[in-house]
Amino acid sequence: MHRTDKTLSAHSLKKLKLWRPGKRRRAQVAARFWFYDVMLASSHRRSMDELLAELPVVHGQWPEQGDQPIVFAVCDPHYFSLHAESLMASLNRYAPDSYLHLHLYDPCEDQFEGLADLCRRYRQVHLTRTWEQTGFEGVNGEKRVIYFQSARFIRLFSILQAARRPVITVDIDSLIRGDVNEVVQAAQGADLGLFLRPELAHSGKNVLASMVYASPSPASLDFFEGVARRIAAHLLAGVQTEMLDQRCLWKLYVQKRRHLKFWRISQRFSDWSLGQDSIIWHGKGPRKESRKYLVFKRQLLQSGGSSLGKGCATIVTCPVTRSFRVGWKPQNEEPRVASTRIRCLNPLRMLQAQGLSVELYKDKRKEDYDMVVFLKAYNENDIRLAESLKAQGKIVIFDLCDNHFLMNERRVARLRRMFQLADHWVTSTPALADVIRMHLTDLDQKPLHIIEDAVETALIKLPFDVMGKSKARWQLVQLARFLKQNERGCTHLVWFGTHQGSHSDSGLAHVQKLKPLLERIAAHYPVTLTVISNSRDSFMRHFAGWQVPLFYMDWNPHSFFTAMKLHHIAVIPIQVNEFTKVKTNNRVAISLYLGLGVVADRIGSYEAFADCIFLDDWENGLLSYITHPELVAEHVAHGRRIITEHYSLPVIAKRWCRLFDLAWKEKNIPEVIVPTSLSASR
């Protein structure tokens, strides 16, 4: 047989083996990345400013300019609690007077309090911080992890731009075992350093991103801007490919290596085998649970005075896992129902990400639950279930977020029965808490907890909703055309909500009161009004004869956020009555979060935002925003700060967690510390 002149290299042979059974998935993921990378070519050539404007807003302060290198790491609340202190303790001990910058994803009060405590105890480390609310609460865990891993290189570029200093990017579970200046010395003036593994057939592992070195040179800035733009294009398109950050680093390295002064990082500076002479250790994979890693980590924590350093070594790597199990039972499991998303599905996913055993209620697992949360669920079957749970000594929590005491007598009777059975009552506003107390004076009073709505930063979308996606795209095209037709000097207003709530005197009918005012304003200043709701028939009935340009589109999770951002002002008229006065501030908060000014009628829950919206001041509020558009940006910035501190999902999830802990402890059942195995980020 005639042999070919060229033989396949060992690397090529390994690539071919990807197609063997069991390895095809890797090749499919690699092909997916390359396909989308080509498809998104125009997007990742957009300016960095444009891309950053579409990503979550970054709060805090980037490091100042100087000469000393910066160690940079990112973490979510879970990994912050596990690893942030040990990283800081290692720098304090082995690299005193060093600089650390932490970027936090979805932080809440615990992380800010923890950072303040770390600064007090580890005074030889100069700590700076930034943070963002990612908007990934409603997204599965794998996509969140990909975002957390990848977005750090977008933030790395921002640090390089701001500080113009060498940056050493490490995983949050890293331990520093020497002077970080040794990294800069070893780089010998290189533009960047990567830990390369080109011999591997797995294209996502040709670069190991556990440690990346970046100098502030022009070539380095150009390289990391390219990486940031490429990653941002993928993330903004919703294409979160496994190991996206490492794939983008490798691709840019291959493209630009001839124009870079490059340092190939050795294992001494990125060591997962935990060698004694290594400068940086990584807890890669199961090594986070190895004795050598844990003992060293415990010694660091003990030297810093941390209570975590005392006792068995497993505590420093394992969170407290609560021994109770929670089932969450909404009245309706449909994600299109706002109360289901906001008061069940979103906090449930956040609590799951933090390690709590909580899930949507499943009847076949009824015996496994220690407590069940009923959200507006109080039909006859719900009541029988609650009675059965009580008979077994389990905890029943009932959450009501609307004034259902206005319903018919039979429903109110069932509602009272559910309140009577519940061990803890939960509601969404102080005003509704007053209503509950007033109507239940003849019952045994139970603990009543006020847990507000968390602002939705992402909407849950059904994965195979082809019709929904197509309809959303079509309506967005129509909306953009409508707004462009009325573009010149025009202010775009929007109203959104269900056309009629569970009480007849609510919803779209309340917008009628704005007709005379908007027509009067339109005579001097061009305005449009878009209605985003769930009934075109109701829209046609209520808006016949208006002299203001109108547009209707259906509420759709695939289009809602995009549609809202095309407008300037959200109008929220309310006919205040026994039903509407107890509503949450969700519509105000989501409008501010999405960048709109707000003019609304006053109810109790809106007072939290009184300094950054107009309440009961319709004409002045609308004219102020129309004539001074910069006021919208000021109010939005203020509103977003309030949301981050009080109404973000991590904050609200923490309140649910406290309630579960309290309910559990009241049963006098001792809480158990259970070591849990943490999956590796790679």
Side-chain angles (χ1 to χ4, degrees):
M1 180 179 291
H2 179 68
R3 291 186 61 184
T4 58
D5 293 334
K6 294 182 179 180
T7 58
L8 290 171
S9 67
H11 184 57
S12 299
L13 285 169
K14 286 183 179 180
K15 291 280 186 183
L16 287 174
K17 287 179 183 178
L18 287 173
W19 293 98
R20 292 187 337 194
K23 295 190 176 181
R24 289 181 182 174
R25 181 182 172 277
R26 292 181 187 173
Q28 289 167 349
V29 173
R32 183 174 182 264
F33 168 77
W34 289 97
F35 171 77
Y36 280 111
D37 200 57
V38 171
M39 294 292 291
L40 295 168
S42 60
S43 295
H44 58 62
R45 284 197 292 266
R46 294 165 60 195
S47 74
M48 200 64 228
D49 289 341
E50 283 183 78
L51 293 167
L52 287 173
E54 295 181 30
L55 289 163
V57 177
V58 174
H59 306 277
Q61 190 171 7
W62 299 115
E64 295 179 352
Q65 294 188 9
D67 299 320
Q68 292 296 311
I70 300 165
V71 177
F72 169 53
V74 303
C75 57
D76 66 351
H78 182 60
Y79 272 79
F80 177 90
S81 65
L82 294 177
H83 303 299
E85 180 174 357
S86 54
L87 173 59
M88 197 160 176
S90 66
L91 284 165
N92 190 74
R93 178 172 175 180
Y94 289 97
D97 207 32
S98 57
Y99 291 79
L100 172 66
H101 184 84
L102 288 180
H103 183 75
L104 309 178
Y105 297 118
D106 304 319
C108 55
E109 293 105 325
D110 275 358
Q111 282 72 62
F112 295 127
E113 292 169 7
L115 283 172
D117 181 57
L118 293 179
C119 288
R120 284 192 295 270
R121 289 192 287 113
Y122 300 105
R123 296 181 180 276
Q124 296 194 71
V125 179
H126 305 280
L127 178 67
T128 52
R129 64 180 189 182
T130 48
W131 67 92
E132 65 182 277
Q133 299 296 334
T134 64
F136 273 81
E137 295 88 350
V139 179
N140 69 53
E142 182 184 4
K143 283 194 172 184
R144 282 200 302 270
V145 169
I146 292 169
Y147 180 89
F148 295 162
Q149 290 171 346
S150 304
R152 60 177 164 163
F153 289 101
I154 303 174
R155 307 313 179 193
L156 167 61
F157 173 69
S158 296
I159 293 177
L160 282 173
Q161 266 195 321
R164 303 285 171 165
R165 296 158 67 176
V167 180
I168 303 160
T169 302
V170 298
D171 287 344
I172 190 65
D173 58 23
S174 301
L175 300 174
I176 310 300
R177 297 169 46 82
D179 189 347
V180 292
N181 284 300
E182 285 192 45
V183 177
V184 181
Q185 292 165 9
Q188 296 181 333
D191 297 311
L192 74 147
L194 297 173
F195 192 106
L196 297 182
R197 301 186 293 182
E199 71 281 359
L200 295 183
H202 193 315
S203 61
K205 295 183 177 180
N206 294 137
V207 170
L208 181 66
S210 297
M211 192 282 223
V212 171
Y213 171 76
S215 81
S217 69
S220 174
L221 282 163
D222 177 68
F223 176 85
F224 285 104
E225 181 179 359
V227 171
R229 284 194 281 111
R230 194 170 234 103
I231 290 173
H234 281 252
L235 296 179
L236 290 171
V239 185
Q240 279 124 321
T241 307
E242 180 183 294
M243 299 181 181
L244 175 62
D245 56 337
Q246 299 188 157
R247 295 179 196 276
C248 289
L249 285 165
W250 173 250
K251 185 161 189 177
L252 264 292
Y253 165 73
V254 170
Q255 288 180 0
K256 295 178 178 288
R257 58 186 169 185
R258 294 180 181 176
H259 309 289
L260 293 165
K261 186 176 181 184
F262 180 73
W263 171 43
R264 186 165 181 172
I265 296 173
S266 67
Q267 194 163 335
R268 181 168 183 258
F269 297 99
S270 184
D271 188 5
W272 61 92
S273 63
L274 312 182
Q276 282 302 118
D277 297 327
S278 297
I279 299 296
I280 300 174
W281 278 6
H282 298 293
K284 190 170 180 246
R287 291 165 184 82
K288 282 194 283 287
E289 298 170 25
S290 69
R291 179 171 180 78
K292 190 174 186 180
Y293 178 88
L294 291 175
V295 168
F296 182 59
K297 190 169 183 177
R298 183 176 60 181
Q299 291 170 350
L300 290 170
L301 294 173
Q302 285 176 330
S303 67
S306 170
S307 59
L308 289 175
K310 301 168 185 174
C312 67
T314 54
I315 283 186
V316 301
T317 190
C318 303
V320 172
T321 299
R322 293 159 175 85
S323 56
F324 55 77
R325 295 178 180 272
V326 181
W328 216 312
K329 193 177 190 303
Q331 178 188 34
N332 187 328
E333 293 187 9
E334 170 58 52
R336 291 182 67 89
V337 177
S339 60
T340 298
R341 294 193 315 274
I342 295 169
R343 300 194 66 79
C344 174
L345 300 180
N346 292 343
L348 182 151
R349 284 181 170 84
M350 175 61 76
L351 292 170
Q352 285 176 334
Q354 294 173 357
L356 268 74
S357 295
V358 52
E359 65 181 26
L360 275 177
Y361 175 85
K362 297 179 180 65
D363 198 56
K364 65 182 179 182
R365 296 191 58 180
K366 181 175 84 170
E367 302 303 320
D368 296 336
Y369 301 126
D370 299 290
M371 61 184 83
V372 175
V373 181
F374 292 82
L375 168 60
K376 295 169 66 174
Y378 56 93
N379 64 27
E380 295 292 352
N381 291 334
D382 296 322
I383 289 172
R384 282 194 290 272
L385 172 60
E387 289 172 339
S388 172
L389 293 168
K390 291 285 288 182
Q392 297 174 59
K394 299 188 177 184
I395 300 165
V396 173
I397 297 171
F398 182 56
D399 178 22
L400 185 69
C401 56
D402 278 317
N403 186 359
H404 282 196
F405 292 99
L406 298 172
M407 305 302 172
N408 62 61
E409 287 185 14
R410 291 182 63 185
R411 284 193 66 174
V412 172
R414 294 200 307 269
L415 179 64
R416 288 171 56 82
R417 178 64 179 142
M418 182 58 83
F419 271 113
Q420 191 173 29
L421 288 167
D423 299 289
H424 288 262
W425 301 343
V426 184
T427 192
S428 51
T429 66
L432 187 51
D434 292 339
V435 170
I436 292 170
R437 292 291 193 202
M438 180 182 70
H439 283 275
L440 301 179
T441 53
D442 58 324
L443 298 183
D444 291 338
Q445 296 293 294
K446 307 293 177 63
L448 178 54
H449 311 267
I450 298 171
I451 301 180
E452 296 89 344
D453 287 354
V455 175
E456 291 185 281
T457 55
L459 293 172
I460 299 170
K461 305 175 183 72
L462 298 177
F464 304 109
D465 184 16
V466 177
M467 291 297 293
K469 288 181 180 178
S470 300
K471 186 176 182 180
R473 288 195 196 101
W474 173 241
Q475 290 199 333
L476 281 172
V477 169
Q478 291 180 308
L479 173 61
R481 186 179 301 149
F482 165 77
L483 297 177
K484 191 171 183 179
Q485 290 170 353
N486 299 277
E487 188 173 23
R488 187 173 299 173
C490 196
T491 301
H492 302 308
L493 315 180
V494 62
W495 180 92
F496 63 99
T498 55
H499 77 101
Q500 183 175 304
S502 53
H503 188 259
S504 58
D505 191 8
S506 62
L508 197 52
H510 293 175
V511 189
Q512 287 278 33
K513 65 185 286 185
L514 297 184
K515 182 175 184 287
L517 173 60
L518 294 186
E519 290 180 347
R520 190 164 67 249
I521 290 175
H524 302 281
Y525 303 97
V527 297
T528 67
L529 175 63
T530 299
V531 171
I532 304 176
S533 191
N534 60 337
S535 173
R536 185 178 290 273
D537 290 341
S538 182
F539 167 77
M540 299 298 290
R541 187 169 62 252
H542 288 295
F543 286 87
W546 279 51
Q547 300 302 307
V548 174
L550 299 171
F551 184 85
Y552 173 84
M553 71 183 295
D554 293 301
W555 188 94
N556 188 315
H558 300 288
S559 61
F560 177 65
F561 279 14
T562 303
M564 287 287 287
K565 290 176 181 178
L566 296 175
H567 297 83
H568 305 113
I569 305 169
V571 292
I572 309 177
I574 298 172
Q575 188 65 44
V576 180
N577 55 46
E578 292 300 311
F579 183 79
T580 59
K581 73 179 184 181
V582 302
K583 300 291 283 184
T584 70
N585 59 33
N586 179 261
R587 288 202 292 166
V588 168
I590 193 66
S591 300
L592 288 166
Y593 174 78
L594 294 174
L596 284 76
V598 176
V599 187
D601 284 315
R602 187 185 301 271
I603 60 174
S605 63
Y606 291 1
E607 294 289 348
F609 294 97
D611 291 339
C612 53
I613 63 176
F614 288 96
L615 292 174
D616 285 350
D617 193 8
W618 281 96
E619 186 163 6
N620 177 54
L622 289 171
L623 290 174
S624 294
Y625 283 142
I626 291 169
T627 57
H628 298 88
E630 70 279 2
L631 185 60
V632 172
E634 293 176 19
H635 281 184
V636 165
H638 187 181
R640 284 173 173 168
R641 286 193 292 271
I642 295 172
I643 290 166
T644 299
E645 293 175 13
H646 302 289
Y647 303 105
S648 62
L649 185 56
V651 171
I652 299 304
K654 182 179 177 181
R655 292 175 191 164
W656 281 107
C657 187
R658 285 174 176 166
L659 167 59
F660 297 152
D661 286 342
L662 175 64
W664 185 243
K665 289 173 183 175
E666 284 184 353
K667 285 288 185 180
N668 296 314
I669 303 173
E671 191 165 310
V672 181
I673 295 180
V674 182
T676 58
S677 176
L678 299 176
S679 61
S681 61
R682 291 194 169 83

